[in-house]
Amino acid sequence: MRTLNLRIPPFILVLIISFLLITLLTMLSPLLFPIDLGTTNLSARMIPPSFIEGGTPQNFLGTDHLGRDFMIRLFYGTKNSLLVAFGSMLIAALIGTVLGVLAGLYKGPLDTIVSFLTDVQLSVPSIIIAIVCASVFGSGKLILVLIIGLNGYPTFARLVRGLTIQLKEANFMECSRALGASKMRMLFEHVIINISSPLNVHATMRFSSFILLESSLSFLGIGIQPPDVSLGLMVSAGRNYLISSWWLSIIPSLIIIVIVLQVTLIGDWLRDQLDPKYKNS
């Protein structure tokens, strides 16, 4: 079996560690900051961050328009955005992989149906499909995960279908077929193993788009709903105070940018390492 010997550059290592640290800290936010997100304190509203004149040490990043600690909400919002994006990526990868493998292995009517459905869905902008589905089915976290996941499976299906068709014509697949191996055995022994690397790279790069889609839906008011919080919802809530309290929108926007850049650069590096076309160029 081929083993991977990846030499991680220091810059990429810093990106990986920082992303894992952000993920770990935000996932522990209910334990670190066990608060009720719906609690307000109007007497302490719009306090600036502690590093700005007028700030207090008790509220490092200040408070929002309802007097809630902004840093704590930032932790919870990042956690929710990451959970929605990660759950959506799992659903999209699972559905897309299953449909892509079946279409590539069996061809015929099944391949025609899968290809038609993916082409139709890819022809419509993702944000429009997500907005329509969220408006019809609601905007709970579970619903949001399902909407974004089902909206993102076509790219996985197309990628896996193409890889499976290539593998079907490979010499080792012909040898396995000649030895009497069933399609299910070839699926688990050859196809799944050989598509895992490009599939992991694609999932990493799609994670960024899921973060942006969730943030966009929450910004428009059809994503995660108050008193719960997400990064997009925080940007939306603070947009009316950009002049007087710029941190309410700028800081969560910067968090979105940082996470998207981290995941995108890590995905680019993985693609360069695992894809022979890029590795040898």
Side-chain angles (χ1 to χ4, degrees), residues 66-85:
L66 295 177
R68 299 168 295 191
D69 188 281
F70 190 71
M71 187 183 74
I72 294 177
R73 291 181 62 80
L74 196 63
F75 270 77
Y76 276 86
T78 306
K79 173 183 73 74
N80 286 335
S81 294
L82 289 174
L83 283 177
V84 170

Side-chain angles (χ1 to χ4, degrees), residues 16-248:
I16 294 174
I17 293 175
S18 60
F19 176 73
L20 292 177
L21 187 61
I22 291 174
T23 303
L24 177 62
L25 289 177
T26 54
M27 294 305 161
L28 293 177
S29 54
L31 298 177
L32 297 174
F33 310 105
I35 64 168
D36 180 7
L37 291 174
T39 302
T40 62
N41 182 13
L42 296 180
S43 62
R45 65 190 299 269
M46 310 300 281
I47 296 176
S50 60
F51 50 84
I52 297 178
E53 184 180 357
T56 60
Q58 293 82 8
N59 305 106
F60 179 69
L61 292 180
T63 60
D64 64 4
H65 61 292
L66 295 177
R68 299 168 295 191
D69 188 281
F70 190 71
M71 187 183 74
I72 294 177
R73 291 181 62 80
L74 196 63
F75 270 77
Y76 276 86
T78 306
K79 173 183 73 74
N80 286 335
S81 294
L82 289 174
L83 283 177
V84 170
F86 186 71
S88 303
M89 185 185 68
L90 289 179
I91 292 176
L94 179 61
I95 295 176
T97 300
V98 171
L99 292 178
V101 167
L102 292 177
L105 279 180
Y106 293 96
K107 301 290 286 182
L110 180 60
D111 180 34
T112 302
I113 294 173
V114 171
S115 299
F116 176 76
L117 291 176
T118 55
D119 289 341
V120 169
Q121 191 162 339
L122 287 172
S123 66
V124 182
S126 300
I127 186 68
I128 294 179
I129 297 177
I131 288 174
V132 172
C133 292
S135 301
V136 173
F137 299 107
S139 52
K141 268 191 284 193
L142 180 59
I143 296 295
L144 198 58
V145 169
L146 292 174
I147 289 174
I148 298 176
L150 292 174
N151 189 46
Y153 86 86
T155 58
F156 286 91
R158 174 173 284 184
L159 172 67
V160 173
R161 174 185 173 273
L163 293 172
T164 304
I165 292 175
Q166 291 179 5
L167 289 171
K168 272 181 64 176
E169 308 302 326
N171 292 332
F172 61 88
M173 292 287 281
E174 293 291 340
C175 294
S176 296
R177 195 178 296 111
L179 292 173
S182 64
K183 286 190 175 182
M184 291 302 297
R185 182 176 177 180
M186 289 190 294
L187 169 64
F188 287 103
E189 286 189 356
H190 300 299
V191 176
I192 297 298
I193 293 176
N194 283 281
I195 69 173
S196 59
S197 292
L199 188 60
N200 289 334
V201 173
H202 185 70
T204 302
M205 303 190 74
R206 288 293 293 167
F207 186 84
S208 302
S209 64
F210 292 151
I211 286 275
L212 292 174
L213 182 55
E214 184 280 325
S215 299
S216 300
L217 292 174
S218 296
F219 180 86
L220 294 172
I222 53 177
I224 293 177
Q225 299 295 313
D228 213 343
V229 63
S230 75
L231 293 175
L233 189 60
M234 295 181 73
V235 175
S236 177
R239 73 185 188 277
N240 294 325
Y241 309 97
L242 279 174
I243 297 178
S244 60
S245 304
W246 54 265
W247 63 88
L248 295 179

